[in-house]
Amino acid sequence: GGGMWAAGAARRAGLALAALGLALALAAWRRRRRARPLREVLVFPSPPSCTEALLAEAAEPGAAARPCHCPLPHGDCPLSRLLRHLLTARRSLDICLFAFSSPQLGRAVRLLHRRGVRVRIVTDAQYMGLQGSQIGLLRQAGIQVRHDQESGYMHHKFAVVDGKMLITGSLNWTTQAIQNNRENVLVTEDVEYVQPFLDEFERVWEKYNPINYKFF
């Protein structure tokens, strides 16, 4: 009887150890998954959809609970996912864009500026003044904007959120590109990719400092 009891106890102890080992392995796997940097690809065109609730919630927490009577679909889409990534900014947002005319993205950037996020924008001198450009509105809001003074285009299309999230691809931040063009956006927190874009932004930001402009 004592031998059977001892064998049962040993079996139970073995099962308990196995369960503990499984729990520890599962916890370690979950930690590794959480530690993995964000990687997401967004593909455009983005189908017409309402982003009002998303932007209203960013401006005033709780506002999303109010009904929206817009006839557009309210589901997730590439534009809403891009907006969500931008709206995670807490400290800084550095934007380097050839063309910026999307009202939704412009509104999101102004919201972040009002929230106290340091926003800096570099854009192309020839495209910043076109009809529909958001650059004038962003400047009026008090956001720092610098532009090129060269013969070639300032053709970059990227943004860095809080110095750790890179948003880049073929997409100009224009309604035409978002709704009609075949475009791609990569969102990543891989440091080895984020850092070169941070370095490039700082280089361009300093190069386009107005004190360096030559008018003659």
Side-chain angles (χ1 to χ4, degrees):
M4 287 179 63
W5 182 87
R11 238 187 346 262
R12 286 193 295 274
L15 287 170
L17 281 172
L20 178 62
L22 184 60
L24 289 171
L26 185 59
W29 176 77
R30 283 177 174 156
R31 277 198 303 274
R32 281 198 302 275
R33 278 185 64 84
R34 279 198 301 271
R36 282 177 59 190
L38 170 70
R39 295 187 187 108
E40 183 177 9
V41 174
L42 305 176
V43 178
F44 293 78
S46 186
S49 61
C50 178
T51 56
E52 180 57 35
L54 176 62
L55 290 164
E57 180 70 18
E60 181 188 348
R66 298 174 197 148
C68 177
H69 303 293
C70 168
L72 291 172
H74 289 72
D76 203 22
C77 66
L79 175 58
S80 67
R81 296 190 70 80
L82 176 56
L83 283 165
R84 281 195 186 94
H85 287 307
L86 282 175
L87 290 168
T88 63
R90 293 293 175 267
R91 299 185 309 278
S92 65
L93 176 61
D94 293 327
I95 298 171
C96 207
L97 279 177
F98 175 59
F100 189 167
S101 65
S102 164
Q104 294 97 328
L105 290 168
R107 185 171 159 194
V109 172
R110 291 196 302 276
L111 282 171
L112 291 170
H113 172 68
R114 286 203 299 272
R115 195 189 283 169
V117 173
R118 183 198 67 174
V119 179
R120 297 183 294 174
I121 299 174
V122 169
T123 192
D124 183 78
Q126 296 179 55
Y127 271 70
M128 63 186 281
L130 292 184
Q131 186 174 5
S133 173
Q134 289 287 303
I135 296 300
L137 292 172
L138 295 165
R139 269 188 158 150
Q140 286 173 19
I143 293 171
Q144 297 182 78
V145 178
R146 292 183 181 179
H147 60 80
D148 62 319
Q149 200 203 14
E150 301 164 332
S151 57
Y153 290 124
M154 202 305 298
H155 211 237
H156 279 315
K157 304 165 187 70
F158 71 87
V160 182
V161 176
D162 288 341
K164 65 179 184 180
M165 180 198 297
L166 170 66
I167 299 170
T168 189
S170 65
L171 184 78
N172 276 307
W173 291 13
T174 68
T175 301
Q176 161 68 29
I178 290 165
Q179 293 185 355
N180 299 303
N181 293 358
R182 295 236 171 244
E183 306 275 4
N184 65 82
V185 168
L186 171 68
V187 184
T188 181
E189 291 179 339
D190 282 296
V191 175
E192 61 266 37
Y193 297 118
V194 177
Q195 192 59 50
F197 282 87
L198 273 175
D199 294 343
E200 172 65 0
F201 185 89
E202 294 297 344
R203 272 195 301 270
V204 175
W205 184 254
E206 187 49 41
K207 182 175 177 60
Y208 295 167
N209 188 329
I211 67 171
N212 297 326
Y213 287 176
K214 299 177 177 65
F215 295 100
F216 303 103

